[in-house]
Amino acid sequence: MLLQGRTCVITGAASERGLGRATAKLFAEQGARVAILDLDEAAAQAAAKAIGPDHRGYACDVTDRDACLGAARRIREDFGGIDVLVNNAGITQPVRTLDITPENYEAVTDVSLRGTLYMSQAVIPTMKDAGRGAIVCMSSVSAQRGGGVFGGPHYSAAKAGVLGLARAMARELGPDGIRVNSITPGLIQTDITAGKLSDAMKAEILKGIPLNRLGDAIDVARICLFLASDLSSYVTGATIDVNGGMLIH
């Protein structure tokens, strides 16, 4: 049990076929008590119930700093502490550069980038008090290769910002025993991609993936588990690619 007795917070984890839900399920199997955060409290509670009786769901808009602080406070009251945070919440939009409106830009960057900062700010004091903690930030291969998957340039920018933020936090928080790392998934089969890929599109995409398959949510969840657990106790400021070789650099 790699996470026995630890409290793990995962944002944006209510979607049934999402990266967050797969991560929550795997963490629960490894002994964690999981707190699922989502805009929809009923959906978050249902997701928590689906993985077992020891887990809880909470409403939280990660773009609202007060909401993040409030959610973290409730989790501490219910579980006694916070050991792991997975900043998973994010949205994407397939919009080209000249078509990006201020509303588009703010929506995408607010959830991925501002949300990562606010939720991290909400849990860091608890981790500092404990002298240890692990924060996992979800970026994207889009940030590294300049888009070309689903999201527009503003999505690439937001996810590139996540990488910079995570590395800066890792440098700052290392002396406090808090590790901060990032994951850059490639094309993963989730609710976001469901129904958007024709057989012809898949065949074309697979030509650029050496492992010759699209990713599954569990592929990303396993790397989250590695970064959340003591298996990665001497790893911080790292970026781990989960893309089947779509980008080798």
Side-chain angles (χ1 to χ4, degrees), residues 12-102:
S15 178
E16 188 171 352
R17 294 184 64 241
L19 302 181
R21 176 76 77 92
T23 300
K25 184 174 184 293
L26 183 60
F27 279 15
E29 291 170 356
Q30 289 295 323
R33 297 167 299 185
V34 180
I36 290 177
L37 304 188
D38 203 87
L39 279 173
D40 184 335
E41 184 162 34
Q45 291 174 345
K49 184 178 179 180
I51 62 173
D54 300 325
H55 318 291
R56 300 200 179 183
Y58 305 83
C60 183
D61 177 356
V62 296
T63 70
D64 182 336
R65 189 170 186 268
D66 287 340
C68 292
L69 293 171
R73 182 174 60 252
R74 290 176 65 192
I75 293 165
R76 288 194 302 270
E77 291 170 354
D78 290 342
F79 291 107
I82 296 173
D83 303 290
V84 175
L85 167 64
V86 180
N87 283 308
N88 172 72
I91 61 173
T92 186
Q93 296 171 339
V95 183
R96 293 182 177 273
T97 300
L98 293 179
D99 298 323
I100 298 170
T101 66

Side-chain angles (χ1 to χ4, degrees), residues 170-216:
R171 190 177 299 279
E172 176 186 336
L173 300 172
D176 297 301
I178 301 170
R179 299 182 297 104
V180 187
N181 295 288
S182 300
I183 299 175
T184 46
L187 194 52
I188 310 297
Q189 299 180 98
T190 64
D191 287 334
I192 291 176
T193 60
K196 296 183 176 68
L197 289 175
S198 65
D199 289 342
M201 291 170 67
K202 286 182 182 179
E204 188 61 30
I205 290 168
L206 288 176
K207 291 178 183 178
I209 301 178
L211 290 185
N212 198 40
R213 70 173 177 87
L214 300 182
D216 293 314

